[in-house]
Amino acid sequence: MSVTILGIESSCDDTSAAVLTDGLLRSNVISSQSVHESYGGVVPELASRAHQQNILPTVSEALRQAGVQASDLNAIAFTRGPGLLGSLLVGTSFAKGLAIAEGIPTVDVNHLHAHILSHFIRTEEGQEVPEFPFMCLLISGGNSQIVYVKSPSEMEIVGRTIDDAAGEAFDKCAKVMGLPYPGGPHIDRLAAEGDPKAFRFSRPHIPGLDYSFSGLKTSFLYTLRDNLKADPGFIEKHKADLAASLQATIIRILLDKLALAVERYRPDSVAIGGGVSANSGVRRAIADFCRERGIRAWIPPRSFTTDNAAMVAMAGYFKYMKGEYCDLSLPPFARVEI
Ligand code: KG4
């Protein structure tokens, strides 16, 4: 018997709903919230209200596009955390309410697991998916982790950031350059026209597999400050080179530790996930990194890199198949380790 899961994602500023049947994607609808643009970051209270407005039309549209009725669903998977608590409450409550109405179970999903398991979503029959174990570089606005993925439920974080995440390094540096929020995609676009060797920014020297991005941020700020004194038009004149050099440094930091992790764990394949895995430079660098080592690279379609409910439905499917349903009294959580 086939299993159809509705996924609901509301952890940050995207309301998303998706329908998946046996791992095959049938719809993935995302309503992004433009309300935050003028604030230079996500405003939690506004995010919760926008989720409340968007959730019903988003879920209805996902069901319509998939050609299913709520009564055809076997379960509802929802992001339980980590994320903004008020935002998570909207998706969690909606999922529970609909599940009670339909008399079906809910499955709670860890948002970080979902990013990693997005590689198992098939958009067409017969599509290949990774084999366990594999190494995953999980890079988003809130996390930078190297995760050894042994199974859909056994994930070992072997390296993590001790301060900022890679996405924060992109966004914070972009902000001081006067670029809109989130800055990552703008840096990506500008970097394509710049010289990655034009500026040198500091790289961390911390032992082991952990990351640090706060030193890079400081070094980027100092470069701007020193040069702006002499030339107030410095940023405008050098924005492409600044973006290219920043992006190259972030990639170098990411890959140096990934190389250590791969030496230590010897995986057959490496996957990337999270918002920063949409970055063109990161995608190219990971493909080269894996080619040089004779291992397989799993690079997700861009639509699965940012927050989406397809990955939540996928992670939910794995748990549903093991009978791991969620107690309806479970609250969402703002922070969590994998
Ligand atoms: O996973 P995600 O959607 O959610 C959070 O963790 O919040 O990641 C968002 C992050 C932001 O920092 C954004 O700037 C970054 O992903 N991002 C990018 C690109 N697209 C999104 N960073 C660099 N290049 C991109 N093309």
Side-chain angles (χ1 to χ4, degrees), residues 41 62 107 246 252 274 300 307 312 333:
V107 183
L246 172 68
R252 181 81 194 271
D307 292 345
V312 177
F333 47 72

Side-chain angles (χ1 to χ4, degrees), residues 33-304:
Q33 304 178 356
S34 54
V35 62
H36 310 287
E37 273 161 22
S38 53
Y39 297 93
V42 176
V43 184
E45 175 65 27
L46 296 181
S48 318
R49 290 189 218 177
H51 282 304
Q52 194 70 61
Q53 286 171 338
N54 294 345
I55 190 126
L56 185 56
T58 305
V59 169
S60 303
E61 183 58 16
L63 293 174
R64 193 193 64 77
Q65 286 185 17
V68 300
Q69 311 279 329
S71 55
D72 299 327
L73 298 171
N74 294 86
I76 302 178
F78 64 94
T79 303
R80 185 175 169 214
L84 301 171
L85 211 49
S87 294
L88 290 164
L89 273 167
V90 177
T92 303
S93 305
F94 189 93
K96 289 180 183 177
L98 186 56
I100 291 169
E102 296 300 330
I104 54 176
T106 52
V107 183
D108 60 310
V109 167
N110 177 320
H111 183 78
L112 303 176
H113 280 200
H115 269 301
I116 293 171
L117 297 173
S118 68
H119 289 277
F120 293 87
I121 303 166
R122 285 176 293 115
T123 49
E124 53 193 63
E125 291 284 1
Q127 190 178 326
E128 266 191 294
V129 295
E131 274 177 27
F132 296 103
F134 62 91
M135 196 62 85
C136 185
L137 181 62
L138 182 58
I139 37 180
S140 68
N143 293 277
S144 293
Q145 298 177 341
I146 304 176
V147 185
Y148 190 52
V149 188
K150 298 173 206 166
S151 77
S153 55
E154 290 168 286
M155 304 190 186
E156 184 188 342
I157 303 175
V158 300
R160 58 166 67 73
T161 181
I162 59 165
D163 42 55
D164 285 348
E168 276 175 289
F170 272 110
D171 295 344
K172 289 178 179 171
C173 293
K175 190 169 184 173
V176 293
M177 283 176 70
L179 297 170
Y181 178 85
H186 297 280
I187 297 283
D188 192 354
R189 187 177 38 77
L190 283 171
E193 286 141 37
D195 173 7
K197 297 206 173 87
F199 296 98
R200 276 178 74 90
F201 303 120
S202 65
R203 287 193 278 123
H205 296 283
I206 52 167
L209 299 176
D210 286 341
Y211 286 118
S212 166
F213 288 98
S214 66
L216 163 64
K217 190 180 63 189
T218 309
S219 133
F220 187 84
L221 277 175
Y222 283 171
T223 302
L224 294 192
R225 190 197 58 183
D226 296 346
N227 285 285
L228 280 169
K229 274 189 208 144
D231 176 7
F234 174 77
I235 296 179
E236 192 50 38
K237 266 183 229 152
H238 298 280
K239 61 183 181 199
D241 285 347
L242 284 166
S245 304
L246 172 68
Q247 183 169 296
T249 312
I250 293 176
I251 293 172
R252 181 81 194 271
I253 296 172
L254 289 172
L255 291 196
D256 281 354
K257 293 299 171 97
L258 184 63
L260 287 180
V262 165
E263 264 169 43
R264 198 174 291 175
Y265 288 83
R266 306 233 159 256
D268 292 331
S269 59
V270 166
I272 52 173
V276 179
S277 63
N279 182 269
S280 324
V282 168
R283 296 166 81 86
R284 268 195 308 274
I286 290 289
D288 293 345
F289 175 96
C290 289
R291 197 174 314 110
E292 282 159 18
R293 290 167 176 76
I295 56 181
R296 176 136 189 197
W298 292 94
I299 298 171
R302 279 202 166 80
S303 54
F304 295 155

